[in-house]
Amino acid sequence: AKVDDSGRVADLVLASALSWKPGEPLDITVVGEAVVIRSAPDGLYCHTRKAYLTLPSRMRQRCQIQPGDTVVLTAIPDRKLMIVTSVRLVHDALTDHFQAILDRWSVGHG
């Protein structure tokens, strides 16, 4: 999803997978370089009626997410939570993972 100028991202499909309803209270926090959003009765944020999540600016800054950036939204239905990460973070993780595969492969083929 793309982050708009006010930090909103569309999440209609994932919100449905998580059974989040419009107006449902949410807790939003940063863990490492990811934003973690979960349903919470005492949450300070809420899911909008137009199926958008607004990522608070201080959390976007901590995760190096800028307006216009593409982010990866991952739903974890059994925990009723969503993880938002930057494409850069996913790219870096996959690059490291693929390098480890190539390193192991080259041992048997080098």
Side-chain angles (χ1 to χ4, degrees):
K2 282 236 188 248
V3 179
D4 75 6
D5 289 341
S6 53
R8 291 181 307 178
V9 293
D11 71 327
L12 184 59
V13 173
L14 294 182
S16 176
L18 294 167
S19 300
W20 289 352
K21 307 290 184 239
E24 183 161 350
L26 302 171
D27 180 57
I28 303 176
T29 190
V30 173
V31 178
E33 291 184 61
V35 178
V36 178
I37 305 165
R38 67 179 179 89
S39 176
D42 58 347
L44 299 177
Y45 305 93
C46 74
H47 189 253
T48 69
R49 297 200 186 284
K50 295 186 179 185
Y52 283 101
L53 287 171
T54 300
L55 305 173
S57 63
R58 70 185 189 292
M59 294 182 193
R60 291 192 319 265
Q61 290 170 354
R62 286 181 56 193
C63 295
Q64 300 176 10
I65 297 171
Q66 304 294 319
D69 284 356
T70 300
V71 293
V72 177
L73 305 174
T74 305
I76 304 176
D78 62 329
R79 295 198 175 186
K80 292 197 81 164
L81 64 81
M82 181 186 306
I83 298 174
V84 182
T85 55
S86 69
V87 169
R88 174 197 48 79
L89 182 67
V90 173
H91 174 270
D92 292 349
L94 287 174
T95 299
D96 292 345
H97 177 70
F98 292 148
Q99 186 60 53
I101 290 170
L102 291 174
D103 290 347
R104 285 192 301 262
W105 178 78
S106 65
V107 169
H109 293 86

